[in-house]
Amino acid sequence: MNEYDAIVVGLGGAGASAAAFLAGAGSTVLGLEQFGPTHSRGSSHGRTRIYRTAYYEGAAYVPLVQRAQVLWRQLQSNVDVPILRRTGGLMIGAPDSPTVGGARRTATALHLDHAVLTADDLRKQYPQFAVRDDESALWDPDAGVLFPENCISSYVGAAVASGAELHYGEAVTSWTSEPASVTVRTAEGAYRARSLVLTTGAWTPQMVGDLSLPLTVERQFVLWFPSAHPGFTGPETMPVFLWDRGTEAQTYGIPDLGDGVKVGAWNGRPARTPETADRTFGEEVARPVRAFVRENLPDLVPHETAAVSCLYTNAPDRHFVLGPHPRHPNVTVVSACSGHGFKFTSVVGEVVARWVRGEPIDYDLRPFDPGRFERPAPAR
Ligand SMILES: Cc1cc2nc3c(=O)[nH]c(=O)nc-3n(C[C@H](O)[C@H](O)[C@H](O)COP(=O)(O)OP(=O)(O)OC[C@H]3O[C@@H](n4cnc5c(N)ncnc54)[C@H](O)[C@@H]3O)c2cc1C
């Protein structure tokens, strides 16, 4: 049986990056992916993702997201396809809403470059957004658009160039861990390594069943709308946006990069497993998004030209799961999702590689500890 330094299971956003950083640092790596490269059954497809730094979810994310940007730029310097395009970003909503207030608190606490715009400022500077009188925005000049399929295939290319062995169409059916090694089984056979990295996205609950992680899978749809006034909706004039109307999740959007403006509005539907997720697109999904576009984005034709389903893997606290398995220190569990993880996948790969190689890590990752859901309730 071949033996590796590390086996990475799942070569989506986080796994491709982890394989690239591990192999780049000199580790022998086997990557196993159940589907093909950049497939559309998981969480990392759909052409674009938002990158932003004034993180309303908490200032603790900022060092990670800033390092992620440095790594995306490094990746960009090695490939000819677009990786990250800066457009600036607007968090729109009531000034004290979680999205606008949270982003403002983070930007202020960490002295990030930002601006607060009133409804009048927005109408003058960004007439693409039909804001209400009581709305304002936080401007994040560093925000932009990531191209996930390009990011993944570029990290896959880097991993292979550094000697990683990657098997596509090979699903891991089980794994076991001993103190000094792990064994992974697939229909093709068994593989052994010193460390195991589980970057299995929406399949994570079933891959670490013994942890009883309270992760839930949620199907989402994103839609593309054509421009009525193309000069106003391209990346030179329209920033990425998150719009908080006090509903369960924000509506967000990405400017027209040649295929229309992409809009994701609340349309989540829980799924027991990725396989049973309802991926049927119909009126029930489309109607609320069209209504949002009609009311708030006057430069768009409110009829979608395309729609794609995708999966969130949500933790109850909406943070990530990132760290060693509490009972198997040579197994690293990664679910950097809760609907906002793609922008971090570069730094997540770097952190995982350092972890596996026993190197120090500069970030406080305790909020992401996979064991945090197992802690006993404090005594009353
Ligand atoms: C609609 C939508 C919009 C989003 N927008 C944003 C955004 O704007 N900005 C942002 O930062 N984030 C965003 N996210 C979140 C982000 O896309 C995810 O956090 C990220 O893609 C998760 O990457 P991952 O590597 O965990 O999962 P994936 O990329 O899905 O990778 C998991 C991989 O593991 C493989 N796998 C699973 N089980 C096995 C097995 N047993 N054997 C072998 N392979 C296996 C799967 O096939 C898959 O390829 C969005 C997500 C969605 C769905």
Side-chain angles (χ1 to χ4, degrees), residues 3-4 10 25 28 36 53 108 120 129 182 189 216 221 264-265 270 288 296 303 336 342 361 366:
E3 189 151 343
Y4 304 85
T28 54
T53 50
T108 308
D120 280 344
F129 303 102
V182 292
T216 52
F221 267 100
N296 301 294
H303 291 283
F342 192 85
I361 289 164
R366 283 171 299 180

Side-chain angles (χ1 to χ4, degrees), residues 1-336:
M1 197 189 299
N2 282 347
E3 189 151 343
Y4 304 85
D5 291 329
I7 296 176
V8 179
V9 184
L11 296 172
S17 159
F21 280 100
L22 277 162
S27 297
T28 54
V29 177
L30 172 66
L32 297 167
E33 166 57 50
Q34 61 184 343
F35 301 128
T38 64
H39 63 88
S40 58
R41 309 289 302 166
S43 306
S44 297
H45 57 283
R47 300 177 236 170
T48 47
R49 289 290 183 274
I50 293 174
Y51 172 90
R52 56 195 162 86
T53 50
Y55 226 64
Y56 74 86
E57 292 90 336
Y61 284 94
V62 173
L64 285 164
V65 87
Q66 288 179 325
R67 176 67 186 162
Q69 184 180 164
V70 170
L71 296 174
W72 291 126
R73 300 273 174 227
Q74 282 174 9
L75 184 65
Q76 181 72 82
S77 67
N78 293 327
V79 297
D80 292 331
V81 289
I83 296 292
L84 173 60
R85 175 165 185 165
R86 194 176 189 175
T87 59
L90 288 170
M91 321 301 136
I92 307 173
D96 56 356
S97 62
T99 307
V100 181
R104 193 184 55 246
R105 275 190 294 280
T106 296
T108 308
L110 297 186
H111 309 290
L112 303 178
D113 198 6
H114 72 283
V116 176
L117 305 180
T118 64
D120 280 344
D121 296 333
L122 283 163
R123 288 180 190 123
K124 278 186 214 121
Q125 294 178 39
Y126 298 105
Q128 300 93 332
F129 303 102
V131 293
R132 296 176 182 166
D133 290 343
D134 59 356
E135 288 182 315
S136 70
L138 187 292
W139 167 249
D140 176 352
D142 241 10
V145 183
L146 282 159
F147 299 87
E149 286 88 349
N150 293 347
C151 297
I152 293 174
S153 49
S154 300
Y155 273 136
V156 163
V160 171
S162 299
E165 184 183 328
L166 307 183
H167 298 188
Y168 286 93
E170 187 169 349
V172 168
T173 49
S174 68
W175 58 269
T176 51
S177 150
E178 306 281 323
S181 71
V182 292
T183 304
V184 164
R185 290 192 167 70
T186 74
E188 312 295 321
Y191 306 96
R192 188 169 296 145
R194 286 218 286 270
S195 297
L196 175 61
V197 177
L198 297 172
T199 40
T200 43
W203 289 262
T204 302
Q206 57 216 60
M207 280 308 280
V208 283
D210 66 316
L211 259 184
S212 302
L213 286 175
L215 299 176
T216 52
V217 176
E218 194 180 31
R219 185 245 38 213
Q220 296 283 343
F221 267 100
V222 288
L223 289 74
W224 281 262
F225 292 90
S227 253
H229 308 114
F232 291 96
T233 56
E236 302 81 13
T237 47
M238 186 179 192
V240 299
F241 65 92
L242 267 60
W243 206 318
D244 187 336
R245 280 274 162 84
T247 46
E248 195 169 332
Q250 320 101 340
T251 299
Y252 57 89
I254 294 178
D256 188 348
L257 294 153
D259 48 6
V261 172
K262 180 177 174 181
V263 181
W266 192 82
N267 52 40
R269 176 171 288 192
R272 208 169 45 77
T273 66
E275 285 72 24
T276 57
D278 178 3
R279 295 173 190 261
T280 322
F281 180 71
E283 282 298 302
E284 186 199 341
V285 171
R287 210 176 297 117
V289 194
R290 287 181 202 144
F292 184 92
V293 167
R294 197 174 293 114
E295 184 189 340
N296 301 294
L297 297 167
D299 294 311
L300 303 189
V301 178
H303 291 283
E304 71 282 356
T305 49
V308 162
S309 70
C310 186
L311 301 176
Y312 281 1
T313 310
N314 296 325
D317 54 12
R318 306 295 288 192
H319 294 308
F320 301 155
V321 172
L322 172 59
H325 187 297
R327 285 175 291 288
H328 306 291
N330 52 359
V331 178
T332 304
V333 186
V334 180
S335 173

